[in-house]
Amino acid sequence: MASSTVLVWFRNDLRLHDHEPLYRAWRSGLAIAAVYCYDPRQFGHTAQGFPKTGAWRANFLRQGVQNLAENLQKIGNKLLVTTGLPEQVIPQIAERVNAKTVYYHREVTQEELDVERSLIKELAIFSIQAEGYWGSTLYHPEDLPFFIQDLPDLFTNFRKSVEKKKISIRPCFSTPSPLPPSPDAQLTLTPPPSEFFPAATMDSRSVLAFQGGETAGLARLQSYFWDGDRLKSYKETRNGMVGADYSSKFSPWLALGCLSPRFIYQEVKRYEQERISNDSTYWLIFELMWRDFFRFVAQKYGNRLFDRGGLLNKKLPWQQDQVRFELWRSGQTGYPLVDANMQELNLTGFMSNRGRQNVASFLCKNLGIDWRWGAEWFESCLIDYDVCSNWGNWNYTAGIGNDARDFRYFNIPKQSQQYDPQGDYLRYWLPELKNLPGEKIHQPWLLSATEQKQWGVQLGVDYPRPCVDFHQSVEARRKIEQVGVIT
């Protein structure tokens, strides 16, 4: 009989560094079968009929899997790539390669948990064990000063609690090298169909030429932290919207596990020792803590994260207005800050954090449209889609999630002037407004007929008139929610 094997099932953890399942398999001394399985369900459609994994993320994922295969090959192993339902395919491969155990990283939301549970049942038929490990957050849930069911509902309370208790971040697992070769087994692997990866040419205006995979993720960290020395000013620049380096842009690689959050933390600490320790270095860790928080929230609340009433089970009326939703989705609302950001999302799969907050606020607080439609569109488009962060943030914006105030909205004309004072970002994505001076571009609906002619933009022809009155629409929404505002 062939020697025993450990099967390592890769999921949203496409890396070799800080990978506990791979590390444990390596330390076992047994042969290692590394497997990635494309799940057709992830390439289906959302409730509103959007592609569940849109073109940008699909191709980023493909690149990540290819890079994982290349990196495994460099250290002596081979990635077995196949397609099918993991709970059916993984046990079949495990049985063929004489695996006694399957190691994998655990997830927290329903679809992924269902797969895990089904997989464990199927493996038991072959007397194969399954061992799941935690590897997606900065803090390990077992180290938190509370049980998940007692997680504070406000981020500030969560942050203060872990900081007060001085909860330490566990060290990264070593990158194994070399690995034993893959077991020699005659396997029939099903390659993913080409329709999983629709052709898509990213707009040349994209903030970054995003390339999937651990190698590109590590290169981005090297570029942002060390070569460009950008971390020292992260807090001051992070609300930008134009260019590659106003923020770290780590999120796509974090979302697919090409970068470990603990490795980023480790590098921040090294930067603080070798370069500078300031508010900016702390703030990047602060943002990683937000990411942790949303993942733990998803653990605590389960499917309430996706319910119409959200985490608070709040009964708010939401419009099912397809016409206005299409204006929002296509960037034709008549509000330049909203439209420019939606154009960027649709053409590149990315949008700044500041942009996401504003467009989500407009959908919920001005148009009053079902927030889940927006969450699904983000799920489809975003190259850095993370189920917990995306749906957690949409709960927050819709006023049905983790928020200290019952009602808050973004004053979009004011935000536009504050964060893009000269209108550079707006002109970048809305060339029809390129001739408007900075003080005029933020509210083109105020242009007189003479000004429209002067600057070559005709409202309702070259650029749409506002689909709603901003302040009236907010006030209408305010009547059903309590007062609170972000300006």
Side-chain angles (χ1 to χ4, degrees):
M1 177 178 281
S3 60
S4 295
T5 300
V6 176
L7 189 150
V8 179
W9 173 34
F10 284 88
R11 307 174 76 190
N12 293 316
D13 51 357
L14 305 180
R15 63 178 185 269
L16 303 185
H17 73 276
D18 193 28
H19 195 290
E20 186 171 3
L22 185 62
Y23 175 82
R24 298 289 182 197
W26 176 53
R27 292 300 299 268
S28 74
L30 301 176
I32 296 173
V35 180
Y36 183 85
C37 183
Y38 284 102
D39 188 337
R41 291 168 296 199
Q42 295 304 310
F43 294 85
H45 292 85
T46 70
Q48 293 304 311
F50 310 138
K52 196 172 177 66
T53 301
W56 308 122
R57 189 165 74 261
N59 284 284
F60 191 81
L61 169 62
R62 177 178 52 80
Q63 293 165 358
V65 173
Q66 289 176 343
N67 183 245
L68 177 63
E70 293 164 0
N71 289 342
L72 279 168
Q73 188 174 29
K74 289 175 183 177
I75 58 173
N77 202 267
K78 178 182 180 181
L79 182 66
L80 306 175
V81 180
T82 189
T83 306
L85 304 184
E87 63 270 32
Q88 296 176 5
V89 173
I90 299 296
Q92 293 170 4
I93 295 177
E95 196 271 337
R96 291 293 301 275
V97 301
N98 196 35
K100 300 304 181 186
T101 313
V102 172
Y103 292 169
Y104 65 95
H105 271 128
R106 306 199 316 266
E107 293 286 344
V108 299
T109 44
Q110 189 67 51
E111 292 176 5
E112 293 79 7
L113 291 175
D114 285 347
V115 172
E116 290 179 28
R117 294 181 186 116
S118 297
L119 173 66
I120 291 169
K121 289 180 181 178
E122 290 296 318
L123 289 172
I125 297 173
F126 299 102
S127 299
I128 300 172
Q129 298 294 313
E131 294 188 17
Y133 297 94
W134 187 271
S136 57
T137 55
L138 202 58
Y139 291 98
H140 197 289
E142 293 177 3
D143 298 336
L144 297 175
F146 38 71
F147 296 111
I148 290 297
Q149 60 264 33
D150 299 320
L151 176 80
D153 284 334
L154 297 181
F155 170 74
T156 299
N157 294 340
F158 163 77
R159 177 185 60 79
K160 288 180 178 179
S161 180
V162 294
E163 289 182 342
K164 182 178 180 180
K165 297 287 186 179
K166 293 183 169 57
I167 305 301
S168 60
I169 309 298
R170 295 186 182 188
C172 292
F173 287 92
S174 302
T175 302
S177 182
L179 288 180
S182 302
D184 186 15
Q186 297 299 314
L187 296 170
T188 301
L189 301 175
T190 305
S194 58
E195 57 262 29
F196 280 8
F197 314 110
T201 303
M202 189 170 290
D203 193 287
S204 61
R205 291 171 290 179
S206 177
V207 292
L208 201 64
F210 291 105
Q211 177 76 21
E214 178 181 26
T215 300
L218 293 173
R220 173 59 185 171
L221 189 150
Q222 174 69 28
S223 171
Y224 187 77
F225 278 16
W226 303 106
D227 300 341
D229 203 21
R230 304 287 185 180
L231 180 55
K232 65 184 179 184
S233 56
Y234 170 75
K235 189 178 181 183
E236 290 72 42
T237 63
R238 66 190 175 88
N239 280 313
M241 289 182 285
V242 178
D245 294 326
Y246 62 79
S247 66
S248 72
K249 309 292 189 303
F250 294 157
S251 56
W253 293 283
L254 278 166
L256 286 183
C258 304
L259 279 177
S260 158
R262 292 191 302 210
F263 178 73
I264 295 174
Y265 174 84
Q266 178 180 293
E267 289 294 285
V268 171
K269 290 300 170 184
R270 183 162 76 91
Y271 186 93
E272 288 179 335
Q273 291 179 341
E274 298 181 11
R275 298 278 175 92
I276 188 173
S277 176
N278 60 13
D279 285 348
S280 287
T281 57
Y282 168 78
W283 209 261
L284 195 132
I285 296 171
F286 176 91
E287 297 291 355
L288 289 174
M289 290 175 67
W290 259 113
R291 183 175 174 275
D292 275 19
F293 178 65
F294 280 130
R295 187 152 292 251
F296 295 140
V297 164
Q299 261 196 304
K300 176 179 178 178
Y301 284 101
N303 281 343
R304 282 172 61 178
L305 188 68
F306 311 104
D307 291 344
R308 179 186 175 99
L311 303 182
L312 299 179
N313 194 26
K314 203 168 182 179
K315 307 298 184 184
L316 297 177
W318 296 104
Q319 301 296 317
Q320 310 284 317
D321 190 328
Q322 291 282 0
V323 173
R324 283 184 170 176
F325 178 76
E326 186 59 33
L327 294 176
W328 176 85
R329 186 173 73 140
S330 61
Q332 297 291 322
T333 67
Y335 287 88
L337 186 63
V338 173
D339 295 341
N341 274 285
M342 295 306 293
Q343 294 286 355
E344 181 181 13
L345 174 65
N346 295 335
L347 292 170
T348 71
F350 191 81
M351 186 195 297
S352 69
N353 180 61
R354 178 60 47 180
R356 297 179 201 204
Q357 291 174 306
N358 275 278
V359 302
S361 175
F362 187 81
L363 185 75
C364 296
K365 303 300 184 177
N366 294 93
L367 301 183
I369 290 175
D370 193 331
W371 64 275
R372 295 171 300 176
W373 293 14
E376 287 184 23
W377 185 240
F378 273 26
E379 176 177 354
S380 182
C381 292
L382 283 173
I383 201 169
D384 62 354
Y385 171 73
D386 174 287
V387 57
C388 303
S389 294
N390 182 66
W391 289 84
N393 271 307
W394 274 97
N395 267 256
Y396 185 95
T397 301
I400 53 176
N402 304 91
D403 197 346
R405 292 191 248 177
D406 289 332
F407 184 86
R408 62 169 72 216
Y409 74 94
F410 279 73
N411 186 331
I412 287 166
K414 186 174 180 181
Q415 289 266 311
S416 185
Q417 293 169 349
Q418 182 175 353
Y419 292 101
D420 187 29
Q422 301 306 313
D424 296 336
Y425 175 76
L426 301 184
R427 288 187 201 87
Y428 197 63
W429 290 105
L430 302 173
E432 60 269 38
L433 301 180
K434 64 182 179 181
N435 294 328
L436 293 182
E439 71 274 11
K440 299 289 186 179
I441 197 170
H442 304 286
Q443 300 182 74
W445 57 89
L446 298 180
L447 294 173
S448 67
T450 301
E451 289 173 322
Q452 291 178 50
K453 186 174 181 179
Q454 177 184 354
W455 288 307
V457 56
Q458 185 177 352
L459 293 177
V461 177
D462 302 309
Y463 184 72
R465 297 182 184 276
C467 60
V468 290
D469 180 282
F470 184 82
H471 295 290
Q472 287 180 6
S473 59
V474 166
E475 289 307 314
R477 192 70 193 171
R478 189 193 297 271
K479 290 180 181 179
I480 56 172
E481 302 184 40
Q482 295 181 355
V483 177
V485 60
I486 291 182
T487 58

